Amino acid sequence: MTDNGTQIVSWQSCMVEAIVQQTPSIKSFFLRLSRPFAHIAGQHVDVRLTAPDGYSAMRSYSIASSAASSPIIELAIERLPDGEVSAYFHDIAIVGDEIELRGPLGGHFLWPEPAVDAVLLIGAGSGLVPLMAMIRHRSTQDPAVPTALLLSARTAEDVLFSEELHSVEINDAAFVLALAITREDPIRASDFGRRIDSAMVKEVLARLHRKPTQIFVCGSNDFVNIATEGALRAGLDPSIIKTERYGG
């Protein structure tokens, strides 16, 4: 704790408990913390890898787990071209390995507390990860909050957490799921076969039956720009839009 009362988040060791292949390019890593913490849906951790010669590399990854105090957190990591940290996780990391992380971090891109009014989530690829933490938190803590997820993916195979999302949609009348499939025809009539645009955002809002008071957009820089423009053109207030941008 600093003199002004700010909590210092220090590095800790954690162990890889399990690894799950989620899509062709994304794996989930379940990490057992040496010092468990509670986080808010939308927060992230920094991961640091250090080579024997002292060289280190650090990247930030959003937490996919529901916001609860647990000794195990889930990170869903996409393999990126020339990404040295993501390449380590995908090609080298095995169950039992130890890595360093610090967190939870982030105070802007957070599920609203208390959550009362409608929420719109827009994501692409691994940009779903913090949004998934919000969906999981909502399912247990705020199930009455109307929520829509508009998710962009190249193909149906590339939809992260696909089975879980469809299960939530089937069992939760207050949750709307719409997929924007960009490189093949969508399987479901309720999904879209193009990139996200304002007309798509308007249609998803119509399914939500009310205007949201919070909008969260997460993905690459280009995606966030396009999705945010679509939301604005759909008539949504820029003051309620929060964005999280990934490299690439």
Side-chain angles (χ1 to χ4, degrees), residues 9-237:
V9 180
S10 59
W11 292 96
Q12 65 168 291
S13 175
C14 63
M15 186 183 72
V16 179
E17 184 88 359
I19 302 172
V20 177
Q21 187 83 49
Q22 299 285 6
T23 75
S25 62
I26 301 175
K27 290 181 179 181
S28 280
F29 295 84
F30 295 85
L31 307 178
R32 179 173 292 277
L33 305 170
S34 57
R35 297 195 304 275
F37 54 68
H39 69 279
I40 302 171
Q43 287 189 301
H44 65 274
V45 296
D46 289 340
V47 172
R48 182 170 66 186
L49 305 177
T50 304
D53 63 1
Y55 172 77
S56 66
M58 186 179 73
R59 297 292 184 273
S60 296
Y61 293 109
S62 293
I63 303 170
S65 320
S66 178
S69 182
S70 169
I72 298 175
I73 63 169
E74 178 185 1
L75 306 182
I77 298 177
E78 182 176 10
R79 184 189 179 105
L80 299 175
D82 303 320
E84 56 185 351
V85 175
S86 67
Y88 165 81
F89 276 101
H90 276 258
D91 298 340
I92 299 174
I94 60 174
V95 171
D97 281 354
E98 289 194 358
I99 63 169
E100 287 184 293
L101 64 73
R102 65 180 177 187
L105 303 167
H108 165 70
F109 197 80
L110 305 176
W111 179 256
E113 292 289 354
V116 178
D117 297 316
V119 176
L120 172 62
L121 311 174
I122 306 177
S126 59
L128 172 62
V129 176
L131 308 181
M132 195 67 203
M134 295 179 184
I135 292 168
R136 288 168 167 170
H137 174 78
R138 172 194 167 275
S139 293
T140 59
Q141 302 298 321
D142 303 304
V145 175
T147 301
L149 171 65
L150 175 54
L151 178 64
S152 178
R154 295 180 181 90
T155 69
E157 189 180 28
D158 293 310
V159 176
L160 181 59
F161 302 124
S162 177
E163 185 175 339
E164 183 176 351
L165 287 172
H166 285 96
S167 177
V168 175
E169 179 189 37
I170 291 170
N171 295 294
D172 187 343
F175 179 76
V176 175
L177 173 65
L179 304 178
I181 305 299
T182 61
R183 295 191 181 178
E184 66 182 21
D185 291 334
I187 298 173
R188 310 186 313 168
S190 59
D191 293 331
F192 305 92
R194 65 182 192 274
R195 296 182 184 276
I196 289 176
D197 54 32
S198 59
M200 190 184 299
V201 174
K202 286 181 179 178
E203 183 168 337
V204 173
L205 290 176
R207 299 178 193 176
L208 191 57
H209 301 301
R210 66 190 71 191
K211 277 197 171 184
T213 58
Q214 295 263 19
I215 303 170
F216 297 89
V217 183
C218 187
S220 68
N221 282 314
D222 289 344
F223 172 81
V224 169
N225 291 338
I226 292 169
T228 300
E229 181 180 356
L232 294 175
R233 289 181 177 272
L236 297 173
D237 187 340

